[in-house]
Amino acid sequence: MTDTPASAPVSGVKRIELTLRALVLGCILAVIFTAANTYLGLKVGLTFASAIPAAVISMAILRMFKTSTIWENMTVQTVASVGGAMSSIIFVLPGLVMVGWWLEFPFWESVLICVFGGVLGVTFSIPLRRALVVEANLPYPEGVAAAEVLTVGSRGAEQTESAVRENASGLWVVIVGSVVSAGYALLVAGRVFAGEAARFIKLPASLGGGATGVGFGMQFALLGAGHLIGLSVGLAQLFGLILAWCVAVPILTSPETIAWLTAHGIPSIATTLPAGVGAEELAGTVWSREVRFMGAGVIGVAAIWTLIKLAGPLIGGLSSALAANRRRQGGEVLERTEQDIPINIVAGLSVACLVGIAGILAWFAQGNPTLAGSTALLVGGGLIYVVFIGFAVAAICGYMAGLIGSSNSPVSGVGILAIVIASVLMLGVLALAGLPADPSVVAFALIVTAVVFAVAVIANDNLQDLKTGQLVQATPWRQQTALIVGVIAGAIVIPLILNLLNKAFGFEGGPAGIADAPLAAPQATLISALAKGVIEGGLRWDLIGLGAVIGVVIIILDAALRGATNGRIMLPPLAVGIGFYLPAAVTMMLVVGAVCGAIYDKAIKGTRFADVGRRMGVLLASGLIVGESLFLVMTAGVIVATGDDAPFARFFPMGDAWPAMPAGIVAFAALTFALYAWVRNRSAKV
């Protein structure tokens, strides 16, 4: 992908960039997208990049002001995008509820973890901008797409009537997608349609006699997320699902395997289940307790491999940032598009954040009798860990965001790798200080990992935004300032949404919510289990090791496919790992969304409106995610307010005889076809 679509300067327009109205609008959108992403992440373990829908909404609103510019819209998009990205912290924070340390999310502690870690993510990504955005030949798919949308739709001398129409049409696409998605979710909540179609079976003896299953989560948010991840990543996830559910689960649940494991004294969750247990419980338990840890091994190896490949760009980025600062101090005036926040201010902000993080860690340690005597050791070790591991994960996630997009970047894998490293280091602290391995040690490891994870998710999004800024010739220091504002906006709303969802639904392994329909929170579940397993013992290192071996094989296979096809065919190891540990119904609908998106893109390829249609497809996918996610956050509020675990079911008294599953399948398929057809026709008229 080239920079051509958005690389031309916008002439004849006064440079209005970092304005109060842009910051306020960006913060409002950040709250909306943070809420949507928080629910989606807890439900399916994925978040979506909100840059493009934020840009479209910004252009539609700021068009009311005659002085609005492309750079002001860029500011709105930057604040909204990073605020939405901040929601990925929910891949770690719910773990503190799952291990029983928190019963709810304390507001200020949660906010400060997000703010200090998030601002570090901004400062760590600044010296990486030249290496990974300017000099590296990375496609940054979402960043380039956002720049295209901004260039086409923002006010300027070169703007055409068709650009105005596209901007208006794009807003309608987001709105209609959101309404349809929310409407379908309402009917699922009212039990008119089933939210999932699944089937579990026990295989015949000739195929081993094990259990397996397949399902489809009929949720438009999943369909939209699948469209955004693309066919290559979707098929890689399908490959991971096949390895998990067609190979690993059937083997581990087969009577012969169970008998062999029992005879050799190898632990197996299948041996603890009662005789004659159903296929669904057998397959689901083995997948969640064993197979998913293989996926953790795959993801960990993939994250390490990415870090190894990044050694050169990391050193180059730091050298370039230091050289620019020396030129600035020598009196040289850098070009406006090369003016980052000065490195001394970056260093000052970083130190301030580290002081704040030290305060959080010291407060936590002093408040626990087990840890109080080792406060200095814990705080010092925690800060060293945050600096070195934080910068490493910032580089990993930034590179992967440039390679495959923010939505597909390995923040999950990095979180898994980070908690394992943190937990192993905590074992060393326990040995040095003579501390027992109690829950406070697990909680401390999770808090340190939450800070590192905040660094990772913000760096993951920031470099994508900085690429957009480069293409539309924004001023880097102004954009980096907007990034910090976005971090604060997202951080403030996260504990409020988490507490609402916790009270309404609860999380797996934590206290039950009013509806007693716990959110899976797959990454938080896995990360908390890893922390407990490493520190308290009992972690299945054999399964993680087996996954690591599979990961190495997949890395080799991916390299071979890329080499043999000149990069046309690939098998991203991280995507394969995600296919292991996401529920089958979730992965299958993501694959369906990826295939639908590919079919749609192919159908419009070669038409005069191909570029417009592709952008409209992205906006439709974003609308589908936002609509359902916001509806379900609202549903959580209704549940908490009323105490009714199914508040919408009373409005649709369908009865048990109503065929909710087949009706849902037909309606979902028909609406999907109708939406894509409508968007294609609308694109043709722009």
Side-chain angles (χ1 to χ4, degrees):
M1 186 175 295
T2 67
D3 295 351
T4 303
S7 59
V10 181
S11 60
V13 181
K14 181 181 178 182
R15 178 166 291 277
I16 298 175
E17 195 163 352
L18 190 64
T19 64
L20 179 60
R21 67 190 181 198
L23 293 176
V24 171
L25 178 57
C27 288
I28 293 171
L29 294 178
V31 169
I32 294 172
F33 288 122
T34 298
N37 259 328
T38 297
Y39 176 81
L40 186 69
L42 291 171
K43 180 69 175 178
V44 305
L46 293 172
T47 58
F48 71 102
S50 51
I52 292 176
V56 170
I57 295 170
S58 171
M59 289 184 293
I61 293 175
L62 291 186
R63 189 175 299 281
M64 294 184 294
F65 300 92
K66 293 182 179 180
T67 56
S68 67
T69 66
I70 186 172
W71 306 290
E72 193 176 22
N73 286 317
M74 173 78 245
T75 297
V76 176
Q77 178 238 287
T78 298
V79 176
S81 175
V82 75
M86 192 73 251
S87 62
S88 295
I89 193 68
I90 52 90
F91 292 165
V92 181
L93 277 186
L96 288 159
V97 173
M98 293 173 178
V99 300
W101 191 256
W102 285 351
L103 294 179
E104 59 182 14
F105 298 89
F107 180 78
W108 285 114
E109 189 173 350
S110 301
V111 168
L112 291 177
I113 287 172
C114 294
V115 168
F116 292 141
V119 173
L120 270 185
V122 176
T123 60
F124 283 179
S125 63
I126 288 173
L128 295 173
R129 186 184 68 85
R130 287 181 177 85
L132 297 183
V133 174
V134 178
E135 298 169 5
N137 186 27
L138 296 173
Y140 284 98
E142 292 158 354
V144 173
E148 289 179 345
V149 171
L150 285 167
T151 303
V152 168
S154 293
R155 185 181 306 279
E158 293 129 350
Q159 189 179 28
T160 64
E161 184 180 347
S162 63
V164 176
R165 290 200 305 270
E166 179 180 340
N167 185 219
S169 293
L171 182 60
W172 273 112
V173 168
V174 172
I175 292 172
V176 171
S178 299
V179 170
V180 170
S181 178
Y184 188 88
L186 170 63
L187 294 175
V188 170
R191 298 175 182 171
V192 178
F193 299 144
E196 181 178 313
R199 172 86 175 172
F200 291 85
I201 60 170
K202 284 192 175 180
L203 300 172
S206 59
L207 295 177
T212 189
V214 67
F216 294 86
M218 293 182 293
Q219 297 170 282
F220 277 105
L222 297 180
L223 183 77
H227 181 117
L228 293 178
I229 66 176
L231 187 61
S232 178
V233 173
L235 292 180
Q237 289 187 349
L238 178 61
F239 184 70
L241 182 145
I242 291 171
L243 288 178
W245 288 92
C246 298
V247 179
V249 171
I251 289 175
L252 292 175
T253 55
S254 71
E256 292 183 3
T257 301
I258 294 173
W260 186 88
L261 293 172
T262 302
H264 289 80
I266 300 174
S268 170
I269 192 66
T271 62
T272 66
L273 297 175
V277 67
E280 181 175 358
E281 183 178 355
L282 177 60
T285 302
V286 167
W287 168 79
S288 63
R289 302 285 185 86
E290 295 181 343
V291 174
R292 195 167 56 174
F293 284 90
M294 298 181 191
V298 175
I299 292 171
V301 166
I304 294 172
W305 174 243
T306 302
L307 180 59
I308 292 172
K309 293 193 298 182
L310 273 177
L314 284 176
I315 296 171
L318 282 174
S319 300
S320 179
L322 292 172
N325 190 59
R326 287 193 297 269
R327 294 199 305 274
R328 187 195 300 267
Q329 291 178 342
E332 180 180 342
V333 179
L334 300 178
E335 292 184 20
R336 182 186 49 76
T337 54
E338 287 300 314
Q339 295 175 5
D340 292 301
I341 295 177
I343 199 69
N344 56 335
I345 297 179
V346 170
L349 284 172
S350 300
V351 170
C353 289
L354 290 172
V355 170
I357 292 167
I360 292 174
L361 298 182
W363 177 82
F364 181 88
Q366 286 293 316
N368 296 277
T370 302
L371 305 179
S374 304
T375 299
L377 178 62
L378 290 168
V379 172
L383 289 179
I384 293 172
Y385 177 80
V386 167
V387 171
F388 287 97
I389 301 298
F391 191 80
V393 299
I396 292 172
C397 292
Y399 178 85
M400 292 303 292
L403 187 64
I404 57 176
S406 301
S407 300
N408 309 320
S409 192
V411 287
S412 301
V414 168
I416 290 168
L417 187 61
I419 191 60
V420 171
I421 295 173
S423 300
V424 170
L425 291 176
M426 287 300 297
L427 288 179
V429 172
L430 295 180
L432 288 173
L435 299 176
D438 70 7
S440 64
V441 179
V442 176
F444 188 88
L446 286 171
I447 286 178
V448 175
T449 302
V451 174
V452 170
F453 207 77
V455 173
V457 299
I458 294 304
N460 175 52
D461 183 77
N462 285 359
L463 290 169
Q464 196 81 242
D465 288 332
L466 290 171
K467 182 63 177 181
T468 303
Q470 179 207 20
L471 294 177
V472 302
Q473 300 184 5
T475 307
W477 74 262
R478 289 189 173 96
Q479 195 176 4
Q480 290 153 5
T481 302
L483 291 170
I484 294 174
V485 173
V487 166
I488 297 171
I492 290 174
V493 75
I494 282 172
L496 303 177
I497 300 297
L498 283 174
N499 277 322
L500 184 65
L501 295 174
N502 186 33
K503 290 178 182 178
F505 304 117
F507 304 121
E508 290 286 350
I514 295 172
D516 196 18
L519 296 167
Q523 283 90 342
T525 302
L526 184 56
I527 285 171
S528 59
L530 287 170
K532 291 184 67 175
V534 172
I535 293 172
E536 298 179 357
L539 182 65
R540 293 292 302 273
W541 288 106
D542 55 337
L543 296 175
I544 293 177
L546 178 58
V549 172
I550 295 172
V552 171
V553 173
I554 293 170
I555 288 171
I556 295 171
L557 182 58
D558 178 47
L561 287 172
R562 291 173 188 263
T565 63
N566 292 322
R568 293 191 305 273
I569 300 177
M570 60 187 73
L571 192 66
L574 284 160
V576 176
I578 288 174
F580 263 88
Y581 73 77
L582 279 184
V586 171
T587 302
M588 283 302 299
M589 186 47 66
L590 291 173
V591 174
V592 169
V595 171
C596 287
I599 293 172
Y600 169 78
D601 287 343
K602 186 175 181 180
I604 62 175
K605 186 178 181 180
T607 64
R608 63 170 181 79
F609 56 88
D611 290 339
V612 174
R614 178 173 51 81
R615 291 191 289 267
M616 292 294 181
V618 171
L619 293 174
L620 172 65
S622 301
L624 294 177
I625 294 171
V626 170
E628 179 178 326
S629 299
L630 291 183
F631 170 78
L632 292 170
V633 170
M634 182 203 72
T635 300
V638 175
I639 290 173
V640 171
T642 63
D644 188 344
D645 62 347
F648 300 109
R650 66 182 63 187
F651 299 113
F652 304 95
M654 306 305 293
D656 294 337
W658 172 253
M661 184 180 294
I665 294 173
V666 172
F668 192 90
L671 285 171
T672 299
F673 179 83
L675 281 171
Y676 275 109
W678 175 73
V679 170
R680 185 186 191 281
N681 292 335
R682 195 169 188 88
S683 301
K685 295 177 181 178
V686 171

